[in-house]
Amino acid sequence: MEDEYGYMEEEEEWDREGLLDPAWEKQQKKTFTAWCNSHLRKTGPQNQIENIEEDFRNGLKLMLLLEVISGEHLPKPDRGKMRFHKIANVNKALDFIASKGVKLVSIGAEEIVDGNVKMTLGMIWTIILRFAIQDITVEELTAKEGLLLWCQRKTAPYKNVNVQNFHLSWKDGLAFCALIHRHRPELLDYYKLSRENPLENLNTAFDIAEKHLDIPRMLDPEDMVNSAKPDERSVMAYVSSYYHAFSGAQQAETAANRICKVLKVNQENERLMEEYERLASDLLEWIRRTRPWLENRTTDNTLPGTQRRLEEFRDYRRKQKPPKLEEKAKLENSFNTLQTRLRLSNRPAYLPTEGKMVSDIANAWKGLETAEKGFEEWLLSELQRLERLDHLAQKFRHKCEIHEEWAAGKEDMLQSGDFKRCRLNELKAMKKKHEAFEINSRCQKICDQWDVLGQLTTKRRDGLEEAERILERIDQLHLEFAKRAAPFNNWMDGAKEDLLDMFIVHTTEEVQGLIDAHEQFKATLGEAEGEYQTIVGLVTEVQRLGQQFGITPPDNPYTTLHAQDITNKWGEVKQLVPHRDSTLQQEMMRQQNNERLRRQFAAKANVVGQWVENQLDAVASIGVTGRSSLEDQLKKLQQFDKAVIAYKPNMEELEKYNQEVQEAMIFENRYTQFTMETLRVGWEQLLTAIARNINEVENQILTRDSKGISEAQMTEFKMSFNHFDKNRTKRLEPKEFKACLISLGYKIRDDKQVGRSAIALMVNFNQGWAGST
């Protein structure tokens, strides 16, 4: 393989060796694949190759590669999948290479289509030479010699670097590091490197080149170190990328970039100002609309209506407020970033429209949270009050029903004249009249009838005495009934009232107390059943005596209670007992569920609360000691930010538990010191602290890079600032600031001009190092 310029002839000997050496072939495949992808990626990741001998076989990506590196258009490729289509595409690529003055010897389209590794590598090497190396010119030397001279000139000042070729001179990695340090000294500290650590040197150079210079890894450090002689083609291809990255055109590009950067900075500043005004206006308007709703302490005075207000408040806490909190943090960060950018550009500080300062927004937000806290406390208190009133109303209605049932018929009974009917005393009066009749014997006729009257009198006396005895027995039974029925009726009234009594409990212990009392009551039912049977037996005996002797038993003069009343009420008591059992068991299950909800919320709250406190402490401790770099601090804060985002489902789960707790009307939890309110406040403080600290560190990095301040100076400034910021306000008063400057070695005079300069410096210092305005 040769060309009309002859720049490849001197390499024929090592070319043939390279084609036959498997180690070199392996290195070339890695390097050439990476080199091709560094260009193909400009057209999209889908066009990059993985297997160099396979992915170029159809000629499509080969033609695309040539178009990218040449900036020219090739003939339209054949899109068929047949072999002759592939050969046609590869021939179009080879013809294009030949049109650039390169003679391809022994490389045909068939070998490329067949996946011949050596021919494919040779073709790619030809492309690299033509488009990446041939145009390199240094002091009238071109191509390989020019590239070698450029490397020698750039690495000449560096110890332990002696570039004489493109293989052994690069094994220890120092030559790569020297090239980087010569052009970009801020990227690495060359003088800390040692030729005794070739792998570390190579990895350092390759990582920096890939990250900061956009030069992909084309070489394998292990292959470089372990090979007796690294592949020269691979090294040349990789080094040429350094040449193009650091070429003289970069200066003009840098100047243009600076102009674009200034314009972009101004445009970005304008965008940040507009964004701040918009966010501030929207946020303040939202707060203005929301506060009256939170300060409204009126309800429809019903439990369902107040519960609807609670649900609306939950929706506000879950859906409406979080986005506004994010907007507030974004607004503060935009303001701090804008002020830092303006200060570094020597532009006047940005002064928002009146009423839209960060402090105005902070005060408005504080007022919103105060109203929110008061609204929630009032709402929960109102729910407790209405629940109690609802309970009392139900109890009052129940008492009224009992009273109305007891009073039914009493008025008619009191107005009745049944006391005028025959009673035992009437019977005794009749008996006296009969005795008087017996004494009166003035009439002879009566004497004649004496015998008849004697028989009839004896019979009637016997009947009257028997009736008297029966009625006396009935009277005794009535009296006994009255003595037993009245207290038993009162006991049943009390029992019914207790069994129907409404109750409010908040713990399983209180429910268990009611259950125990109910069990004690049920233990007395056996005795009560005996008393009931005795009372009913008295009435049954009265009815039996009346039937046996043909007497209509009179009404009981000692009581208005009837046996049917006692029987009905006793039946009601016995029906209420199992109903009370069921009610107490249901309440026990409800309280057990409430206990489960308390423990469930407490277990999660204790974990989340401790986690939030730990995260707040950890975020607050970042940068306090001053031992870590700003980049490390930013990385840690970003890790905290990701951790908070990943932990958010725990807060959402806790909100769900809290909703269940509130719906169950649970107002106290002895298992945790955390409430949902304290956890929400802590969570919002954590989000705000992380966002604010990230913004502050980014502004400090921006200040450091713009002003050329070293990491050590940054650390010293920050430690001194933190030392004098006793109240942790992230601002220094004039006296504190003066002491801070003196501790840093500045001499401060007391004249007015210096005082004004110190004030200006204090403003910049506070804004730059504390992210505050």
Side-chain angles (χ1 to χ4, degrees):
M1 181 172 52
E2 60 184 9
D3 66 289
E4 64 184 7
Y5 295 99
Y7 63 86
M8 291 180 57
E9 292 179 355
E10 61 189 19
E11 298 169 358
E12 285 186 23
E13 180 177 355
W14 59 264
D15 281 352
R16 289 192 295 271
E17 294 173 355
L19 292 174
L20 297 175
D21 189 337
W24 285 11
E25 179 181 305
K26 177 182 176 184
Q27 291 180 24
Q28 286 185 18
K29 287 176 67 175
K30 290 181 180 179
T31 303
F32 292 177
T33 298
W35 186 88
C36 291
N37 284 334
S38 70
H39 296 285
L40 288 172
R41 66 182 179 181
K42 299 173 184 177
T43 65
Q46 73 279 3
N47 292 323
Q48 297 189 89
I49 63 172
E50 297 181 359
N51 191 323
I52 197 168
E53 67 265 30
E54 291 292 332
D55 295 342
F56 286 141
R57 291 180 63 183
N58 61 8
L60 295 176
K61 291 187 178 179
L62 179 59
M63 295 178 69
L64 181 61
L65 174 65
L66 291 171
E67 288 186 341
V68 172
I69 61 178
S70 68
E72 300 178 22
H73 290 289
L74 273 70
K76 186 176 180 180
D78 293 353
R79 291 295 177 178
K81 297 184 178 180
M82 304 297 290
R83 177 179 174 82
F84 73 89
H85 292 123
K86 299 178 181 179
I87 292 175
N89 289 335
V90 175
N91 274 325
K92 291 175 183 178
L94 297 179
D95 291 341
F96 179 82
I97 296 173
S99 71
K100 298 302 178 181
V102 179
K103 292 184 179 179
L104 299 171
V105 180
S106 302
I107 297 180
E110 291 79 7
E111 285 84 357
I112 304 302
V113 172
D114 292 336
N116 187 306
V117 179
K118 295 179 176 59
M119 291 301 176
T120 303
L121 293 175
M123 177 190 64
I124 299 301
W125 174 240
T126 301
I127 295 173
I128 294 174
L129 283 174
R130 173 61 185 84
F131 294 99
I133 299 177
Q134 177 181 328
D135 294 333
I136 296 176
T137 301
V138 180
E139 293 186 2
E140 300 181 354
L141 295 177
T142 60
K144 177 181 177 182
E145 292 78 9
L147 182 60
L148 184 62
L149 179 60
W150 178 80
C151 294
Q152 291 171 342
R153 291 284 179 86
K154 295 298 182 179
T155 60
Y158 292 87
K159 183 180 178 181
N160 294 328
V161 177
N162 183 16
V163 178
Q164 297 298 324
N165 50 54
F166 287 106
H167 40 80
L168 296 178
S169 297
W170 304 84
K171 281 194 65 171
D172 60 8
L174 291 178
F176 292 111
C177 294
L179 284 178
I180 295 174
H181 188 267
R182 181 64 182 269
H183 295 89
R184 298 288 298 277
E186 76 278 8
L187 296 180
L188 61 81
D189 189 351
Y190 175 84
Y191 302 101
K192 290 185 178 180
L193 304 175
S194 171
R195 66 186 312 168
E196 304 300 324
N197 301 314
L199 269 178
E200 180 181 342
N201 299 338
L202 290 166
N203 277 311
T204 299
F206 297 170
D207 289 341
I208 292 175
E210 185 175 37
K211 182 177 181 181
H212 298 282
L213 305 179
D214 199 28
I215 300 175
R217 278 177 170 258
M218 300 183 188
L219 300 175
D220 191 310
E222 286 77 13
D223 291 344
M224 290 284 293
V225 173
N226 296 330
S227 299
K229 180 182 177 183
D231 177 55
E232 188 171 21
R233 292 184 176 185
S234 301
V235 176
M236 281 183 66
Y238 187 54
V239 173
S240 69
S241 299
Y242 281 68
Y243 173 85
H244 291 293
F246 297 135
S247 62
Q250 186 177 4
Q251 296 179 357
E253 183 181 355
T254 301
N257 289 339
R258 286 177 180 172
I259 295 174
C260 293
K261 184 177 180 181
V262 171
L263 293 175
K264 185 177 180 181
V265 166
N266 290 337
Q267 292 173 351
E268 180 65 15
N269 290 344
E270 292 293 334
R271 187 191 66 79
L272 288 174
M273 291 179 188
E274 293 176 359
E275 182 182 59
Y276 178 86
E277 290 289 337
R278 178 180 58 79
L279 289 175
S281 298
D282 293 346
L283 186 58
L284 289 171
E285 175 61 22
W286 179 80
I287 293 174
R288 185 190 65 77
R289 293 196 314 268
T290 305
R291 279 196 63 173
W293 179 73
L294 292 173
E295 292 170 349
N296 182 9
R297 299 293 192 270
T298 60
T299 65
D300 59 359
N301 212 30
T302 65
L303 189 60
T306 307
Q307 288 173 337
R308 284 195 297 273
R309 289 291 298 273
L310 178 61
E311 188 60 34
E312 292 172 358
F313 181 69
R314 288 176 182 154
D315 181 76
Y316 157 80
R317 294 297 292 270
R318 289 197 302 263
K319 298 179 181 179
Q320 299 179 33
K321 184 183 177 184
K324 297 302 177 183
L325 179 64
E326 294 178 4
E327 288 182 14
K328 177 176 175 288
K330 183 179 179 181
L331 185 144
E332 293 174 350
N333 293 341
S334 296
F335 184 82
N336 293 336
T337 300
L338 176 60
Q339 297 295 55
T340 301
R341 293 169 68 93
L342 291 173
R343 185 175 63 256
L344 296 177
S345 302
N346 294 321
R347 297 284 301 279
Y350 167 61
L351 186 64
T353 307
E354 184 177 358
K356 297 181 182 178
M357 295 289 291
V358 173
S359 58
D360 297 327
I361 295 170
N363 291 334
W365 189 267
K366 184 177 180 181
L368 176 75
E369 291 189 327
T370 300
E372 178 184 310
K373 186 174 185 298
F375 181 78
E376 184 175 27
E377 291 175 351
W378 166 80
L379 196 56
L380 294 176
S381 174
E382 187 70 6
L383 278 173
Q384 287 181 294
R385 183 182 71 83
L386 290 174
E387 184 189 29
R388 179 62 180 169
L389 287 176
D390 185 69
H391 168 74
L392 292 174
Q394 292 185 33
K395 193 167 185 178
F396 174 77
R397 287 193 293 270
H398 176 65
K399 293 286 187 181
C400 289
E401 290 173 358
I402 293 175
H403 174 74
E404 289 169 354
E405 179 185 353
W406 175 83
K410 291 295 189 295
E411 184 177 350
D412 293 339
M413 182 273 293
L414 293 174
Q415 294 176 354
S416 174
D418 58 351
F419 60 89
K420 297 178 180 179
R421 296 184 217 163
C422 179
R423 292 290 187 271
L424 179 61
N425 56 344
E426 295 175 344
L427 183 62
K428 291 183 178 293
M430 292 174 66
K431 183 180 178 181
K432 292 294 184 182
K433 290 179 181 180
H434 179 71
E435 291 175 349
F437 177 77
E438 256 185 328
I439 298 173
N440 188 6
S441 55
R442 58 187 179 176
C443 182
Q444 184 62 43
K445 185 178 178 180
I446 295 175
C447 293
D448 294 340
Q449 297 176 345
W450 178 258
D451 293 337
V452 175
L453 292 175
Q455 294 176 357
L456 293 174
T457 299
T458 302
K459 183 178 180 180
R460 182 171 176 80
R461 178 183 293 277
D462 293 340
L464 290 173
E465 289 178 349
E466 184 178 27
E468 180 184 26
R469 180 175 59 81
I470 297 303
L471 288 177
E472 285 180 345
R473 176 58 182 161
I474 290 174
D475 187 72
Q476 291 174 355
L477 292 173
H478 279 170
L479 182 59
E480 182 68 16
F481 174 86
K483 290 180 178 179
R484 289 180 176 271
F488 187 68
N489 184 66
N490 292 337
W491 177 86
M492 287 192 296
D493 286 338
K496 282 181 61 179
E497 182 176 355
D498 291 340
L499 291 171
L500 292 172
D501 187 31
M502 306 293 291
F503 55 83
I504 294 180
V505 293
H506 299 289
T507 64
T508 54
E509 290 79 4
E510 292 176 342
V511 178
Q512 189 59 50
L514 293 176
I515 292 175
D516 293 342
H518 184 60
E519 291 299 323
Q520 293 177 0
F521 167 75
K522 290 199 299 185
T524 65
L525 290 178
E527 182 180 351
E529 177 68 26
E531 182 66 11
Y532 166 73
Q533 294 297 337
T534 300
I535 292 172
V536 173
L538 293 174
V539 176
T540 302
E541 179 64 16
V542 169
Q543 294 173 348
R544 186 190 67 79
L545 290 173
Q547 292 176 355
Q548 180 179 353
F549 297 100
I551 298 175
T552 299
D555 293 335
N556 194 329
Y558 302 109
T559 181
T560 58
L561 291 173
H562 297 86
Q564 190 61 42
D565 298 333
I566 300 297
T567 299
N568 292 340
K569 194 169 292 187
W570 176 245
E572 292 176 4
V573 169
K574 290 198 294 183
Q575 289 179 354
L576 288 174
V577 169
H579 181 266
R580 183 71 168 186
D581 284 331
S582 175
T583 301
L584 290 174
Q585 290 303 320
Q586 290 176 1
E587 183 63 25
M588 175 59 80
M589 293 173 61
R590 189 176 79 87
Q591 290 301 328
Q592 288 173 344
N593 182 61
N594 288 356
E595 189 73 5
R596 178 187 64 80
L597 292 176
R598 288 190 187 95
R599 292 179 182 273
Q600 174 181 267
F601 176 84
K604 192 68 178 179
N606 289 335
V607 173
V608 173
Q610 189 62 50
W611 186 88
V612 171
E613 290 178 353
N614 293 341
Q615 296 296 102
L616 281 170
D617 293 341
V619 170
S621 67
I622 293 178
V624 174
T625 61
R627 296 177 181 174
S628 59
S629 66
L630 292 175
E631 284 74 9
D632 289 340
Q633 294 176 31
L634 182 59
K635 183 177 180 181
K636 289 179 181 178
L637 288 169
Q638 291 170 342
Q639 290 173 349
F640 277 118
D641 191 42
K642 292 179 180 178
V644 170
I645 293 174
Y647 202 76
K648 188 176 180 180
N650 291 280
M651 278 294 292
E652 294 174 348
E653 183 181 4
L654 198 57
E655 286 284 5
K656 178 183 175 183
Y657 292 163
N658 183 63
Q659 181 175 346
E660 293 177 355
V661 166
Q662 289 189 341
E663 289 174 352
M665 294 296 179
I666 300 173
F667 301 103
E668 295 181 357
N669 194 334
R670 62 180 181 274
Y671 300 111
T672 180
Q673 61 176 339
F674 298 105
T675 64
M676 199 64 233
E677 174 63 26
T678 60
L679 291 172
R680 290 192 193 109
V681 172
W683 181 261
E684 292 172 0
Q685 289 176 348
L686 178 59
L687 290 174
T688 302
I690 292 175
R692 182 180 293 116
N693 287 356
I694 288 176
N695 181 251
E696 290 176 3
V697 174
E698 288 176 342
N699 287 340
Q700 291 177 25
I701 292 174
L702 189 61
T703 302
R704 179 200 64 190
D705 294 344
S706 174
K707 300 299 183 181
I709 301 173
S710 67
E711 191 73 38
Q713 289 176 311
M714 288 284 292
T715 302
E716 183 181 5
F717 291 164
K718 189 167 186 179
M719 291 179 66
S720 183
F721 184 93
N722 290 335
H723 174 75
F724 288 97
D725 184 17
K726 302 296 185 181
N727 298 326
R728 295 295 181 262
T729 61
K730 296 191 180 294
R731 289 187 63 87
L732 297 182
E733 298 299 325
K735 291 183 179 179
E736 296 174 336
F737 184 68
K738 180 179 179 181
C740 178
L741 291 177
I742 293 174
S743 72
L744 291 170
Y746 292 93
K747 294 182 179 180
I748 306 300
R749 302 201 307 271
D750 293 329
D751 57 83
K752 295 182 179 179
Q753 181 63 35
V754 174
R756 287 194 292 271
S757 300
I759 291 174
L761 182 59
M762 178 179 69
V763 172
N764 288 335
F765 193 82
N766 282 335
Q767 292 178 345
W769 304 112
S772 170
T773 59

